[in-house]
Amino acid sequence: MIKKLLLLSITLLLVNCGSSSKGNTASQMKEATTIDPTEYATTITSDELKEMLYTYASDEFEGRDTGEKGQKMAVEYLKNQYKSMGIATPLGNDDYFQEVPLEKQSVAEAKISVNETSFKSFEDHIVLRSPGNVSISEGEIVYMGYGIDADNYSDYKDINVKGKIVLAKAGEPKDAEGNYVTSGKPENTKWSYGRQSISSKRDAARDHGAKGLIYMDNDLFLRYASYFQRLASAGIPGRLSLKSNEPEMMMLMVNENLGKAIYNTILTDNEQKLIKTKIELSIENKSEIVASENVVAYIEGSEKPDEFVVISAHLDHEGIKNGEIYNGADDDGSGTVALVEIAEAFKTAEKVGHGPKRSILFLHVTGEEKGLLGSRHYTDNDPIFPLENTVANLNIDMIGRTDPKREEGDRNYVYLIGSDKLSTELHNISEAVNAKCCNIELDYTYNDDNDPNRFYYRSDHYNFAKNNIPVIFYFNGTHDDYHKPSDTPDKIEYDLLENRARLVFHTAWELANRKERIKVDKAFAETKLMGQ
Ligand SMILES: [Zn+2]
């Protein structure tokens, strides 16, 4: 009851007190929506959603695992949907696929001998990165102490490491008061400790043109070595990751035993110098390139074609495991077919001259289950449209079911996550549009910064939000079939799927047609969980 009351009060607030932004929202909505989108929203039907989902989440699609046959079928299916609706691709030439180059990292093994003494994989060294097969026979290694390159403290100041192998060690010097030299504070810095120090020191060596980094960190080595050995011995294919654009640099982690063999006073000496150590090193790289694709289609805006609303859903799922197909009907088959229907509704409007004023990109991303890879590739490597011209991202991931943990409230609900985190206006619009068109119970349970589930960071909108693009994540919560082979089309509640898809359509309609582009009045903040 309270919620409705609150809703009522917001609407009243919108209409009566006319506080500047809220008043604006309502009046601009009135103006922008002289064309009533309802007739287009009604083209989004549970029958069509059902028909598509029974195909898209059928066994034939083999659970749509990224890079696998099922995922290829999924992108072909989506391309054909857009072609048949006459919706164009922003890439031109009938090309609906944005390539997403991935890499399956397998644990590489190195053979190392120092001054004719050989050292074993996983006992003394592990390969963290290897740009293909490597073979090095060096008489010269540059010892860089801690290998730090900060503005106020740099080990790279007076020495040239271009084309050399750098040897560096974990840690960071402290001043007399016990503060780290780069920060002047006692707390750990990005150089002093842990995984972060590895990537910081890797970037420093690479940025100075080194061809390889041998990094001694005894603590981390003990933690990593057993894990890498398990992966290698079990022949577990490595994790899929985005193929890096950066030229790869060879990187080894070694323990103290090997560190001292390369440079015997490494623990006590911090001074940079060339060291004369004969090192024989060869690495066989087993990583493989995996081709994957995002599917992109768009409708160009009639008045502000250079402003974009991005509506997204992920096209992939878990594939086949232990011979069982993970159909992923809710995750994220529901979002996928909803996105297709939403596109159709906008196209139907455009055909009668009611096309959107701003451009709309329909973005089906791959590799979500592997770490938000497709959306990260879009935002970090290859944004088809400038991020600064991207007005908002509406991301749909799992909207076909209900959350059994949600004991109270109307079944006609949806969890909204992120709507008020970057733009107050977006939140108000979302509320007002829903009050006008759909009257779905908008549940903000998972929108809490301290929510332990951290759903705000767990789907593709995150990559837009981190770029300060206002987002709304539409989600129904997890359920008993979440990430199970039993997440099948027969379990979907198609009436709710229809309602939620229509809400996303109406919200996108308002964002695409309103006079003013919504304002970003808050900056993206990554909140750490208590004790994290
Ligand atoms: Zn998902």
Side-chain angles (χ1 to χ4, degrees):
M1 209 35 216
I2 293 172
K3 259 212 178 121
K4 287 214 165 54
L5 256 174
L6 173 64
L7 196 56
L8 190 61
S9 62
I10 288 178
T11 325
L12 282 172
L13 197 66
L14 272 175
V15 175
N16 298 329
C17 74
S19 67
S20 64
S21 72
K22 296 214 167 91
N24 272 349
T25 312
S27 60
Q28 281 164 349
M29 265 182 68
K30 261 205 210 77
E31 176 218 301
T33 53
T34 46
I35 300 148
D36 182 357
T38 307
E39 68 177 283
Y40 308 119
T42 55
T43 67
I44 300 171
T45 67
S46 53
D47 286 348
E48 287 174 11
L49 291 161
K50 191 173 191 173
E51 192 196 331
M52 278 196 281
L53 195 50
Y54 267 82
T55 300
Y56 193 78
S58 65
D59 287 356
E60 199 197 339
F61 283 58
E62 301 185 354
R64 310 183 303 276
D65 196 7
T66 301
E68 303 296 334
K69 176 175 157 252
Q71 181 252 294
K72 305 295 174 181
M73 289 179 68
V75 294
E76 282 299 326
Y77 176 84
L78 292 169
K79 177 178 95 178
N80 295 333
Q81 289 291 329
Y82 284 105
K83 284 183 78 169
S84 66
M85 293 189 282
I87 297 179
T89 158
L91 303 174
N93 307 327
D94 224 24
D95 178 9
Y96 287 80
F97 298 160
Q98 176 188 31
E99 281 167 27
V100 179
L102 304 175
E103 191 175 28
K104 194 175 277 179
Q105 298 279 344
S106 295
V107 175
E109 289 191 46
K111 289 191 179 63
I112 299 183
S113 75
V114 176
N115 299 332
E116 323 300 335
T117 309
S118 60
F119 293 83
K120 288 206 180 70
S121 273
F122 313 122
E123 268 179 44
D124 299 300
H125 54 83
I126 48 177
V127 178
L128 294 180
R129 295 297 294 170
S130 171
N133 295 334
V134 170
S135 173
I136 294 173
S137 167
E138 285 290 329
E140 278 187 351
I141 293 184
V142 186
Y143 175 55
M144 295 302 288
Y146 295 102
I148 293 172
D149 189 29
D151 299 341
N152 61 346
Y153 173 94
S154 177
D155 291 309
Y156 286 82
K157 214 166 48 258
D158 314 315
I159 195 160
N160 178 359
V161 302
K162 217 168 175 42
K164 299 275 185 209
I165 299 217
V166 162
L167 171 67
K169 63 181 175 182
E172 175 180 347
K174 287 182 175 179
D175 63 20
E177 283 75 52
N179 301 314
Y180 285 113
V181 290
T182 60
S183 64
K185 296 193 187 107
E187 291 79 28
N188 278 322
T189 73
K190 70 173 197 173
W191 300 99
S192 60
Y193 177 77
R195 285 175 55 170
Q196 211 189 2
S197 70
I198 302 182
S199 41
S200 309
K201 293 179 181 183
R202 174 205 58 211
D203 295 349
R206 188 189 52 213
D207 296 348
H208 284 268
K211 75 172 177 188
L213 171 65
I214 299 175
Y215 187 58
M216 185 190 80
D217 186 329
N218 220 41
D219 298 345
L220 279 181
F221 182 83
L222 294 170
R223 273 170 42 198
Y224 277 43
S226 52
Y227 169 67
F228 274 57
Q229 182 152 39
R230 256 199 327 280
L231 282 182
S233 50
I236 298 169
R239 202 167 44 79
L240 261 182
S241 62
L242 279 179
K243 176 131 189 34
S244 150
N245 292 338
E246 298 287 340
E248 288 289 2
M249 184 186 71
M250 186 274 289
M251 194 170 170
L252 296 181
M253 189 188 293
V254 301
N255 61 7
E256 264 174 32
N257 181 35
L258 179 46
K260 283 195 275 189
I262 299 171
Y263 184 45
N264 58 0
T265 52
I266 189 170
L267 291 177
T268 51
D269 179 0
N270 302 337
E271 208 191 310
Q272 301 77 39
K273 62 179 68 68
L274 279 180
I275 50 178
K276 301 268 178 234
T277 300
K278 183 119 190 42
I279 189 168
E280 299 283 342
L281 164 67
S282 66
I283 300 175
E284 190 211 337
N285 183 328
K286 298 182 197 125
S287 296
E288 65 185 272
I289 302 301
V290 174
S292 191
E293 308 78 15
N294 291 338
V295 176
V296 289
Y298 94 126
I299 294 177
E300 188 170 55
S302 56
E303 288 176 24
K304 300 171 185 191
D306 297 328
E307 291 187 10
F308 304 90
V309 175
V310 176
I311 315 175
S312 59
H314 70 89
L315 58 88
D316 65 301
H317 193 51
E318 298 279 304
I320 300 174
K321 289 185 202 168
N322 312 319
E324 288 199 278
I325 295 174
Y326 286 58
N327 299 74
D330 191 29
D331 189 8
D332 187 21
S334 61
T336 300
V337 297
L339 185 48
V340 173
E341 282 281 283
I342 290 166
E344 185 190 40
F346 274 108
K347 189 64 185 177
T348 309
E350 189 198 41
K351 281 182 186 151
V352 293
H354 295 156
K357 292 181 179 148
R358 293 183 176 85
S359 299
I360 301 183
L361 177 67
F362 308 103
L363 177 63
H364 297 262
V365 287
T366 189
E368 190 271 353
E369 304 288 4
K370 309 292 182 194
L372 314 183
L373 299 180
S375 57
R376 182 145 55 91
H377 178 69
Y378 180 92
T379 58
D380 298 11
N381 300 339
D382 182 22
I384 294 171
F385 297 119
L387 296 183
E388 58 275 17
N389 296 13
T390 303
V391 169
N393 166 235
L394 305 182
N395 183 48
I396 318 170
D397 192 353
M398 299 175 60
I399 57 164
R401 299 279 299 266
T402 50
D403 179 351
K405 303 179 292 306
R406 194 171 178 276
E407 275 127 21
E408 284 178 16
D410 191 333
R411 71 179 276 276
N412 186 22
Y413 78 97
V414 70
Y415 292 117
L416 287 194
I417 299 169
S419 59
D420 61 349
K421 290 194 189 301
L422 291 159
S423 166
T424 312
E425 243 183 325
L426 178 61
H427 178 75
N428 292 339
I429 288 166
S430 165
E431 287 277 347
V433 164
N434 179 51
K436 196 157 175 250
C437 75
C438 307
N439 267 316
I440 292 176
E441 197 164 301
L442 304 182
D443 187 326
Y444 296 97
T445 304
Y446 294 130
N447 191 41
D448 179 339
D449 283 347
N450 296 313
D451 172 55
N453 298 290
R454 296 178 66 75
F455 288 123
Y456 182 53
Y457 305 95
R458 290 173 51 187
S459 188
D460 297 296
H461 56 278
Y462 167 73
N463 284 312
F464 288 89
K466 79 181 184 196
N467 287 287
N468 284 312
I469 295 167
V471 302
I472 303 179
F473 172 26
Y474 298 84
F475 177 52
N476 55 213
T478 59
H479 42 73
D480 301 342
D481 303 307
Y482 174 62
H483 280 210
K484 299 232 176 68
S486 49
D487 177 5
T488 48
D490 55 305
K491 303 229 178 74
I492 298 292
E493 303 181 52
Y494 289 94
D495 60 333
L496 298 182
L497 176 52
E498 178 188 291
N499 293 348
R500 293 158 179 173
R502 289 182 180 184
L503 171 62
V504 179
F505 167 75
H506 278 285
T507 309
W509 179 281
E510 173 58 28
L511 294 171
N513 289 304
R514 64 191 283 102
K515 192 159 172 299
E516 299 303 324
R517 172 180 174 169
I518 56 167
K519 293 180 197 56
V520 179
D521 55 356
K522 297 172 208 171
F524 174 75
E526 179 119 16
T527 53
K528 296 248 178 291
L529 268 185
M530 307 294 183
Q532 222 187 358

